[in-house]
Amino acid sequence: MMLLHHNLGGALAAAAFVLLTLFTPSSHASSSFLPEFNAIKPRHMNLLKSAVLRQTSDEQKAALWRPLANQGWKTCVDSATGPTPPPSPKNSQGYLQVFLDGGLNQQRMGICDAVAVAKILNATLVIPYLEVNPVWKDSSSFVDIYDVDHFIDVLKDDISIVKDLPEDFSWSTREYYAIAIRATRVKTAPVHASANWYLENVSPILESYGIAAIAPFSHRLDFDNMPEDIQRLRCKVNFQALSFVPHIRSLGDAIVSRLRYPSGQKEVSSEFLTEVTETQGRPEAGKFVVLHLRFDKDMAAHSACDFGGGKAEKLALAKYRQVIWQGRVLNSQFTDEELRNQGRCPLTPEEIGLLLAALGFDNSTRLYLASHKVYGGEARISTLRELFPLMEDKKSLASSEERANIKGKASLMSAVDYYVSMHSDIFVSASPGNMHNAMVGQRTYQNLKTIRPNMGLLGQLFLNKSMDWTNFQEAVVEGHINRQGQLRTRNLKQSIYTYPAPDCMCQA
C-alpha cells in the first residue's frame, strides 16, 4: 500500500491515484471473509477524500500530544492520608469460591469484587475460577494470566488466599456444581448485591459447610453503600495486586519499545525477549496512540446497526444472532438512523479513522491497533490503514516465535493489548465496553490521556452526507474538548473501576 505524506506538492495525479487505491478493496483481505462480504465501500467518501489530503499544524500536534496537567488528585490506596485498614481476621469462616465468566476485563472486575466479598465474609478466597469464554473458546486460567504469587503477597495483610482447596474440599469443582443442585452453591446473588446480603445469605453456608461457591458472580457486588475499607481494598486489587505474568509483560515491553524506537532491531531468545538497541546516539523516544477497535462480530450483531456491507452482511449478522443468542437478541425496534442519532452504533474502522484525523492525528502517527479480531478483516480495515500507514499490531511488531505463548488464547492476547495500552501516550476506544471502561479507570488513576469518542455527536455527523471536512473537523474538535482525560468523580451506581475518584484517590 502506498504511504501518504503531508506534502503532496499539488500533485493531483498522485492524489487521484491515492484515492483510487484507498477506495479499492485491499488485496490483503483474508479469503475467509470474502464469501460473507462483497466489496466494502466507504460510506463517507467526501470526508475521506479530504482526510487523505489533510494537514495538521505543529501547534495542533503539540496540543494533541501534550500530557495531562495535574488535576488535583493523587493515588492513595496505601496513602498515609487514607484511613488505616482494619487488621486481617485471624480465624477464617471457611473457603470462598467464585466462578467468573466474560472476557478479560469483566473477569478482572469480578476478581476485585471476589476479594472484597471474602473480606466482608471473613473467608479464605480460593484463586478465582475463570469460565471458558463461549465466543473465543479460551480456557486460560488465573495463573495463565496473572502473577499469582504477587497477587497473594500484595493482599496478605487483607485476606487469606489459597491457590487450591485442601484435600477435604477437593470435591468442590465446577463439574460438581454443573450436574445437580448443591447446598454449597449460591446461585441467587443479585446483581450489585449489598454487603449485608452476603452476610445474611452466604455466611450461614460457610458456617454450616466450611465452603461456599458463588456462580454466577460477575457484577455481584454493589458499588455504593460500601465501607470505605472495602472500597479501598477493591482499588488495591485492581491497581496493585493484579499484575500480568512475566512473559506477557516482557512481550508488552518489547512492543512498546518497538513503537517508541521503530529503528531498533529485535533478537529472539528461546526463553525471553531481548531488545537490541544502540546505546550511543539513540533517538528520542517517539510517541504512539493505542486504538482499541471494538468492532468484532459479536458487537456488530448485537447492535443491530447497518455497517454498509449490503444484504449479505445483514443476513449474516441476523443468522449469527440466532445461532449465538437463540432469539434472545432480536433486531432493534429502532431504525439505523435512530440508533446512530442516539449514539448506539459502534464506530467502524472508517469512522474511527475520520475521528482521529479530525482531532489532528496525521499520517506520521504511530498507531497500535489493540483488537482481537475485526469483523470484515482487512477489507474493512483498509481505509483506516491508508489514513494511518504507520499502524501496527501484535503480529507486525512481534515474531511468531515471540507470540508463541499467546497464540490462540484470546485472554492472553487481550492482556498484551491491555499492557501496551497502559504504556501509551494516548488511548482511544472506538466504542464503549469493558476494555474502554477498564482503560478509563486505569488511566484516570495514573492521570494519562484517554480520548472518549462522543458517540451521539459522531452518529449525527456521519448521518449528514453533505457536511464538508472543515465543518466536520470543527464539530469533532469542539465536541471532544472535554473528553480527553479530564477526571470525573464517580456518581451513584457508576463503577469504581471506571471512575476511581474519590474511592481510590485523594485530593492533592
Side-chain angles (χ1 to χ4, degrees):
M1 290 185 179
M2 181 178 179
L3 299 183
L4 306 180
H5 300 279
H6 278 305
N7 184 14
L8 297 180
L12 298 179
F17 178 79
V18 168
L19 293 174
L20 178 62
T21 303
L22 173 60
F23 305 129
T24 301
S26 170
S27 60
H28 294 94
S30 169
S31 60
S32 63
F33 292 103
L34 295 181
E36 195 168 293
F37 293 93
N38 296 318
I40 300 174
K41 298 179 181 179
R43 307 190 77 188
H44 312 290
M45 180 69 79
N46 290 335
L47 293 177
L48 281 168
K49 288 179 179 178
S50 298
V52 169
L53 303 174
R54 72 196 185 280
Q55 293 191 11
T56 305
S57 69
D58 291 341
E59 181 181 357
Q60 188 179 9
K61 284 190 284 188
L64 185 63
W65 291 102
R66 187 176 299 125
L68 291 175
N70 187 308
Q71 300 189 68
W73 290 80
K74 63 180 181 178
T75 62
C76 62
V77 170
D78 283 340
S79 172
T81 61
T84 302
S88 181
K90 300 300 181 184
N91 300 314
S92 170
Q93 297 299 304
Y95 294 96
L96 177 68
Q97 287 180 292
V98 297
F99 299 87
L100 301 174
D101 55 11
L104 176 78
N105 297 293
Q106 184 173 324
Q107 290 172 343
R108 184 186 185 98
M109 292 182 281
I111 293 166
C112 298
D113 287 346
V115 171
V117 170
K119 181 74 171 182
I120 291 168
L121 295 172
N122 185 20
T124 297
L125 179 67
V126 184
I127 291 297
Y129 178 91
L130 309 185
E131 303 274 19
V132 176
N133 188 294
V135 176
W136 307 123
K137 311 297 182 185
D138 187 354
S139 58
S140 298
S141 67
F142 185 103
V143 298
D144 293 326
I145 303 170
Y146 298 107
D147 186 333
V148 66
D149 292 325
H150 175 81
F151 180 77
I152 293 173
D153 182 63
V154 169
L155 299 172
K156 66 180 183 297
D157 294 329
D158 299 288
I159 66 168
S160 174
I161 304 174
V162 295
K163 297 179 182 178
D164 300 292
L165 285 168
E167 187 65 27
D168 290 350
F169 293 101
S170 61
W171 48 266
S172 184
T173 64
R174 191 67 184 90
E175 293 71 27
Y176 173 77
Y177 294 111
I179 59 176
I181 296 174
R182 309 294 187 182
T184 52
R185 177 184 174 184
V186 179
K187 293 180 64 177
T188 57
V191 174
H192 303 314
S194 67
N196 283 338
W197 188 93
Y198 283 99
L199 292 170
E200 294 170 2
N201 294 275
V202 182
S203 283
I205 297 175
L206 289 172
E207 293 172 5
S208 298
Y209 300 98
I211 189 170
I214 308 177
F217 184 72
S218 296
H219 309 295
R220 277 351 193 242
L221 185 63
D222 200 356
F223 290 118
D224 304 311
N225 303 313
M226 287 287 156
E228 192 169 10
D229 66 293
I230 296 297
Q231 296 291 66
R232 288 290 169 89
L233 180 57
R234 295 164 96 172
C235 303
K236 185 176 182 179
V237 182
N238 192 35
F239 300 122
Q240 296 180 14
L242 286 175
S243 176
F244 294 123
V245 293
H247 77 83
I248 289 177
R249 301 199 306 271
S250 294
L251 180 55
D253 284 334
I255 289 173
V256 170
S257 177
R258 292 163 195 171
L259 285 163
R260 295 207 181 282
Y261 305 99
S263 61
Q265 297 178 334
K266 60 179 181 285
E267 180 180 279
V268 183
S269 167
S270 59
E271 296 182 359
F272 56 87
L273 300 165
T274 303
E275 288 294 317
V276 181
T277 55
E278 294 289 340
T279 56
Q280 298 295 328
R282 186 175 185 175
E284 182 181 353
K287 298 182 183 298
F288 71 95
V289 58
V290 168
L291 169 62
H292 181 237
L293 188 57
R294 190 172 182 237
F295 197 76
D296 55 37
K297 196 168 186 175
D298 254 34
M299 185 76 169
H302 202 280
S303 70
C305 298
D306 178 12
F307 300 107
K311 184 176 181 181
E313 181 178 86
K314 290 181 180 179
L315 291 174
L317 292 177
K319 181 179 179 181
Y320 184 77
R321 275 193 292 270
Q322 185 60 36
V323 170
I324 298 297
W325 296 297
Q326 290 83 45
R328 294 192 298 273
V329 176
L330 303 174
N331 286 316
S332 172
Q333 61 180 322
F334 299 103
T335 66
D336 181 73
E337 182 175 342
E338 290 170 332
L339 290 171
R340 292 187 181 279
N341 269 313
Q342 297 168 20
R344 293 169 59 182
C345 291
L347 296 176
T348 64
E350 174 191 354
E351 291 167 343
I352 195 69
L354 289 170
L355 166 65
L356 295 177
L359 287 173
F361 293 101
D362 61 21
N363 54 19
S364 68
T365 298
R366 297 196 67 80
L367 188 152
Y368 178 82
L369 191 61
S371 296
H372 178 58
K373 195 172 185 179
V374 176
Y375 182 53
E378 186 63 32
R380 191 148 247 147
I381 299 175
S382 59
T383 52
L384 177 63
R385 193 182 301 282
E386 289 291 345
L387 289 170
F388 297 97
L390 301 184
M391 187 168 71
E392 307 279 7
D393 58 19
K394 292 180 291 294
K395 289 185 178 180
S396 67
L397 288 171
S399 67
S400 57
E401 292 90 347
E402 291 172 307
R403 292 181 282 108
N405 288 332
I406 67 171
K407 185 177 180 180
K409 300 174 181 177
S411 293
L412 300 189
M413 290 190 285
S414 295
V416 172
D417 285 340
Y418 193 107
Y419 186 89
V420 175
S421 298
M422 278 308 303
H423 289 79
S424 66
D425 299 280
I426 301 174
F427 176 82
V428 185
S429 181
S431 301
N434 288 326
M435 176 71 165
H436 167 93
N437 294 338
M439 277 297 112
V440 167
Q442 286 272 352
R443 294 176 67 87
T444 295
Y445 189 72
Q446 296 186 20
N447 199 39
L448 299 173
K449 184 170 284 191
T450 306
I451 296 176
R452 299 180 297 109
N454 187 331
M455 301 296 289
L457 170 67
L458 291 169
Q460 294 167 29
L461 293 179
F462 287 130
L463 283 171
N464 186 348
K465 300 301 182 183
S466 63
M467 177 170 281
D468 62 24
W469 177 255
T470 300
N471 288 324
F472 175 78
Q473 186 174 34
E474 289 177 354
V476 166
V477 170
E478 183 178 348
H480 290 82
I481 290 175
N482 295 315
R483 302 179 70 88
Q484 300 191 35
Q486 290 82 357
L487 186 145
R488 296 176 297 162
T489 56
R490 188 177 73 85
N491 296 321
L492 287 176
K493 298 185 179 180
Q494 288 183 326
S495 169
I496 192 175
Y497 309 119
T498 306
Y499 304 98
D503 302 271
C504 309
M505 305 178 74
C506 303
Q507 287 187 296

